[in-house]
Amino acid sequence: MRCASTAAEGGCFRYADNASHDAGGLTGGGGGNPMDIQLADEIRKQVEEAFRKRGRVNIVIAGRSGVGKSTLVNAVFHGRIADTGQGRPVTKETREYTKDGIPVSILDTRGLELGAFTETLKLLEELVATRAKEADATRHLHCAWLCISEDSRRVEDGDVKAAEMLARHMPVVVVVTKARSDQGFRAEVQTLLPMARNVMRVRALQETDDEGHTLQPKGLVELVELTMELVPEAQRNAFAAAQRVSIGQKRKRAHGIVASAAAAAGIIGAVPVPFADAALLVPTQVGMLAGVSSVFGLPMTEAFLSTLVGASITGLGATFTGQSIVSGLLKLIPGPGTAIGALISATTATALTTVFGEAYIAVLSKLMEKRCGELPTEEEVIQAFREEMSLRGAA
């Protein structure tokens, strides 16, 4: 009986029967099949491709001191970027915060206090214009959040000038922070800042009011959903991965990745694929796992993806061969095409890819919901996916 555990380090997967299946090559049993693929190389390629497709999103966050910008950033994004990210000055009053593994940059603009905003905005606009000219779109600034505290009940000249300047270059959302009692303030802000795409009332943290009532966080999901609509399509996977408050947005982008992979598998099977050549489908499955992992914001390494692939196929009782992987996946769907010697049609290729991808999305969604939006560990993902594949393969 094969051991469920795999050792991705070094690229070799071993089983209790002492058979060794080198992850550097998916062999079809004959050893000379020209359709065999090199799995280690494929995993490396798909990790790089997943990073490339995910890209990066850059958000400007502006507002006076004390409005709660850092609290907002930490509430919305993974990694507590405002506390633990690396900040580097890009202008006198603007710092760019990043953190390894999180595909977002936060440009925190300070100095919008009375009498201090003119120079700040001049330097910021020069930065925005310079970045917009760069060929690499991941360097552009894609959206701005202008923060105004509800406690202040005021829209200052610096806020107006900042909104006007930023709106010339990118979509602007006004975020009314520390939202407790509107009393018509949101409508007033909308009137004074008509260039903003919307005004969102947000409470980033749970609070207790003077009467002892608990006030839950509010408006964060709505802010994320609006921002997702405003950033360019090429940056939406990055934004979905970086944010932590809407599992639904991660799931939505992941569904798109699975649909694309299923369509690609259908093209491969458009001329029915002989089972002996089934390894042709494996790069599509590996790429899909990499893409879904990246859009959920999981740390992407070759070791993790190798072990994830191993977990999925051992959960189905398969081995590391091109035919066996697909044979295992075929257990997930009923009907024809499940026996060696059969032809894998476009319908079958599409179906097995869809079921495989949706199973992975379901696992990640459950884990993140259980952890209230926090990322699961690699070990948790691998174990849960192995169990899910075992259950589905036995159904």
Side-chain angles (χ1 to χ4, degrees), residues 78-387:
H78 291 294
R80 298 189 64 82
I81 296 174
D83 293 342
T84 62
Q86 299 177 358
R88 66 182 186 88
V90 289
T91 74
K92 181 179 178 181
E93 294 291 348
T94 302
R95 296 183 69 85
E96 183 170 9
Y97 289 88
T98 61
K99 189 169 184 178
D100 289 345
I102 301 176
V104 65
S105 295
I106 303 296
L107 282 86
D108 181 8
T109 297
R110 298 167 290 180
L112 293 188
E113 277 67 34
L114 291 173
F117 61 81
T118 302
E119 181 183 6
T120 296
L121 294 180
K122 178 177 180 295
L123 294 173
L124 179 59
E125 184 160 29
E126 291 174 356
L127 172 67
V128 171
T130 298
R131 296 272 285 259
K133 294 177 183 177
E134 296 190 26
D136 183 0
T138 64
R139 294 277 297 161
H140 299 172
L141 304 179
H142 304 114
C143 189
W145 294 347
L146 175 61
C147 297
I148 300 173
S149 174
E150 193 169 79
D151 290 344
S152 71
R153 304 285 173 187
R154 292 177 61 86
V155 177
E156 303 285 0
D157 287 346
D159 299 323
V160 175
K161 296 299 184 184
E164 290 174 343
M165 184 279 287
L166 292 167
R168 289 196 290 269
H169 302 279
M170 69 193 80
V172 176
V173 178
V174 176
V175 182
V176 177
T177 60
K178 305 179 183 180
R180 300 183 184 94
S181 178
D182 181 33
Q183 298 180 14
F185 185 57
R186 178 178 179 274
E188 181 182 352
V189 173
Q190 285 181 308
T191 300
L192 295 173
L193 301 175
M195 70 293 294
R197 298 297 183 91
N198 209 335
V199 178
M200 311 295 293
R201 295 181 67 241
V202 169
R203 182 167 54 246
L205 300 175
Q206 178 178 296
E207 300 177 2
T208 302
D209 65 16
D210 294 339
E211 298 178 356
H213 299 133
T214 299
L215 303 176
Q216 297 296 333
K218 67 170 292 179
L220 294 172
V221 172
E222 292 80 4
L223 175 61
V224 164
E225 290 175 346
L226 174 62
T227 305
M228 182 69 80
E229 295 177 3
L230 296 177
V231 299
E233 172 63 30
Q235 272 62 54
R236 290 178 183 172
N237 280 358
F239 187 73
Q243 61 82 30
R244 60 183 296 271
V245 301
S246 176
I247 299 172
Q249 287 295 333
K250 295 177 184 290
R251 195 159 44 227
K252 180 179 179 181
R253 302 302 297 182
H255 287 320
I257 291 170
V258 171
S260 296
I267 291 173
I268 293 172
V271 176
V273 180
F275 192 88
D277 296 341
L280 285 170
L281 295 172
V282 174
T284 301
Q285 321 301 331
V286 174
M288 178 177 64
L289 289 179
V292 171
S293 297
S294 72
V295 83
F296 266 85
L298 298 180
M300 280 297 298
T301 63
E302 293 171 31
F304 169 65
L305 189 57
S306 294
T307 309
L308 186 66
V309 171
S312 67
I313 65 172
T314 56
L316 289 168
T319 61
F320 252 118
T321 69
Q323 293 177 14
S324 184
I325 287 175
V326 178
S327 178
L329 293 178
L330 285 170
K331 296 178 184 178
L332 300 177
I333 58 175
T338 58
I340 292 177
L343 294 178
I344 298 178
S345 68
T347 300
T348 302
T350 299
L352 73 86
T353 302
T354 300
V355 173
F356 187 42
E358 293 299 331
Y360 188 43
I361 292 173
V363 165
L364 295 181
S365 297
K366 290 176 185 176
L367 288 173
M368 292 197 70
E369 287 166 359
K370 182 179 179 180
R371 295 172 61 93
C372 299
E374 293 295 334
L375 294 174
T377 65
E378 293 183 2
E379 291 76 15
E380 288 174 326
V381 172
I382 289 165
Q383 180 63 28
F385 194 38
R386 180 184 291 120
E387 292 173 357

